[in-house]
Amino acid sequence: AAAPAPAAAPAPAAAPAPAGSLPGVDLLPRAPRGFYGRDAELAALGDALRAGPDGAIALVTGPAGVGKTALVLDWAHRHGAHFPDGVLFADLGGFSDRPDRELADVLAEFLVALGVDPADLPPALAGRAALYRRATTGRRLLVVIDNARESEQVRPLLPAGADSAALVTSRNRMLGLVASELARPVPLSVLRPEESAALLSRVLGPDRVAAEPEAARELADLCDGLPLALRIAAAKAAADPRRGLAVVADQLHNEQRRLMHLAAEEISVASALRISHEQLPPTAARLLRALGLHPGPMVDAYTAAALADLEHRAAAEALEQLAATHLVTETGAEQYVLHDLVWLYARQLAAETDRAGQRAARARLADQYLYAGLAAAQCAEPGSRPCCEPPASSRRPRAVPGFGTAEEALQWLGAHRETLAEVIATADPERAWRLVLTQWPLILRRVRDGWVPQLQFALEAAMETDHLDGESQVRALLGWVLVSNRRLHEAAACLGPAAELAVRAGNQVGRAIALINLAAVHTELAEHTAAGTGLAQALEVALAAGHPHTVALARQHLARHHLDAGRPRQALDHALHGLALSTGERPDPRRVLLHGAAGEALSGLGRHPEARARLGAALTEAERIGHDEATADVLRALARAEDAAGEPRAAAAHRHRADLLSPL
């Protein structure tokens, strides 16, 4: 029998046309209309796309609606002529309501554009990717890949030619593409106010904007500098020339309806944010919803964990995921902010939570700040008595930030002050006054920084809860702030009941502090006998309570009292006894005052070398703390001491330094 004929070998796929044999292909959509500015980002794209030995990749990332696609299209249209073999473009649809495009289909589109006969396309993705690599080798192409979600979508579409370049846009950071393909990130942020106004001018015409400059600035602010929002707002104004920009701005003022107004047919800010939210991992999506209940501009992993009822590590990872998709912006180590429009969208999500769930989340957040604030206050003022105990209804957080130094604790208190004020305003009375008191170390250092309304709110809350010790402590702190703000009669009325309330609450340390603060009022009112009596009583109470921190405080005030009365020997005695109780390693504002009082007393006694040494120690301590006003006060005391010692040139030098730090 005859041997069977051998099977015919499959015909190889047709090789693409060689480089330069076809006119340059152009799959770019039209150039964006009304594109304006972004000069720095366009320059950064040019820098990123200077081809290296293996080609170049620029990765443009940013939040929804920030203009990533417009940026790359504008750059591609400007510079496409530098790529003689053409420009390829594909929108992968990674952030849209439609399904992602199949990579095999995108490769087929690219290959046909590059000269491959559709009949010769391999059926599988791997075969098409291999043919694409051969087709792009030796060519000089620009490949624009828009709306990618992950690195795996991008890699098969990257051109193989060393003289080619790729532009990729994504809401995700796509660190894998940066690590494995050496993509150069070009982050895109919201527009600055002047850029926002210029974009409005491009859409509406300069005359409309010039006619209502204030309304234009207000629109830019309400749109949070987001180009998508600005274009929608401008479109609404352009649709009816009789409607001024102020009318559109008035509509956007309503926070509950702002996102609804930022919509034009199928285009809206809310839909762009919704798609980003829907593509998040479950924990990150849960956290974004919870952040809608966050009342302030800044969030960290601890407050995020409290709101979403997560472990600290899970919250930190979820925040990273939100930052990777540009739904939050990292401003420091584990510190993030939400742009206004994202926050409004998150509030819409949070509103879908039942009221009991919202109350529970807000209570967890208040407890988080309460326990963290207590830890910060203890670190900022080591040795001080805790201002309060958490209420019985509180729940200890899963994790509380740690503070290594007083500076760290004070920095935390300052950074969270604005958010904490909002938490206090909505907290129940049991938590409200306690939350205010936890800020006492910061309040004493910024005593003229607008604390009175919040302290008055705390006083009302403490009185409402019939908490005698809480009322006493709030009165003592509020009274001191009122004294420092020269509201002396209000301070006297506030401080009057404080000591007796502390006695009834069984808080002898609180009684001593209330007496010291009331003595300060008497001093300012020139009631020196009453001031001296009150300070002596405060020292006696503090000694009986066995609390060195408060004993040192009483002696500090007594030293100043005796200095003002012209009794330097008694002042020196109290200052030295106070210093013996305050010998810690950390910088301490009280040691500044005690060293200063000792130096002034020594100067008054004619012991000038010792006076210089003590005031030098006060100056060193003040400079370590970094408190300019305290440093200036010490320098002025040094100047007076040098005058007393007959050294006018040295005195003038100290006064000059003081005036530079704190001019009077």
Side-chain angles (χ1 to χ4, degrees), residues 193 196-197 200 204 208-209 212-226 229-230 232-237 244-253 258 262 341:
S196 297
L200 289 173
L204 293 171
R208 291 284 302 274
V209 173
E212 297 181 86
E214 289 297 327
R217 281 191 287 272
E218 193 173 13
L219 262 185
D221 184 56
L222 291 167
C223 290
D224 210 16
L226 193 70
L230 285 162
I232 293 171
K236 287 179 175 284
L245 300 184
V247 174
V248 180
D250 283 343
Q251 289 181 331
L252 299 184
H253 265 296
R258 187 179 305 167
L262 289 175
L341 296 177

Side-chain angles (χ1 to χ4, degrees), residues 216-285:
R217 281 191 287 272
E218 193 173 13
L219 262 185
D221 184 56
L222 291 167
C223 290
D224 210 16
L226 193 70
L228 175 62
L230 285 162
R231 286 177 176 274
I232 293 171
K236 287 179 175 284
D240 184 359
R242 295 169 300 176
R243 178 163 53 177
L245 300 184
V247 174
V248 180
D250 283 343
Q251 289 181 331
L252 299 184
H253 265 296
N254 187 329
E255 287 187 347
Q256 294 181 340
R257 300 175 65 82
R258 187 179 305 167
L259 288 176
M260 182 194 76
H261 286 298
L262 289 175
E265 296 183 354
E266 78 283 1
I267 302 170
S268 74
V269 173
S271 64
L273 293 172
R274 173 181 56 78
I275 292 165
S276 290
H277 171 238
E278 289 174 347
Q279 295 186 3
L280 289 171
T283 302

Side-chain angles (χ1 to χ4, degrees), residues 18 56 95 117 221 316 334 371 446 641:
F95 297 94
D117 191 313
D221 184 56
E334 286 197 354
Y371 281 85
R446 302 182 186 177

Side-chain angles (χ1 to χ4, degrees), residues 25 28 74-87 140 142:
V25 298
L28 274 182
D74 184 84
W75 193 94
H77 276 281
R78 293 188 193 201
H79 300 280
H82 294 108
F83 300 91
D85 292 309
V87 183
R140 190 170 184 182
L142 175 64

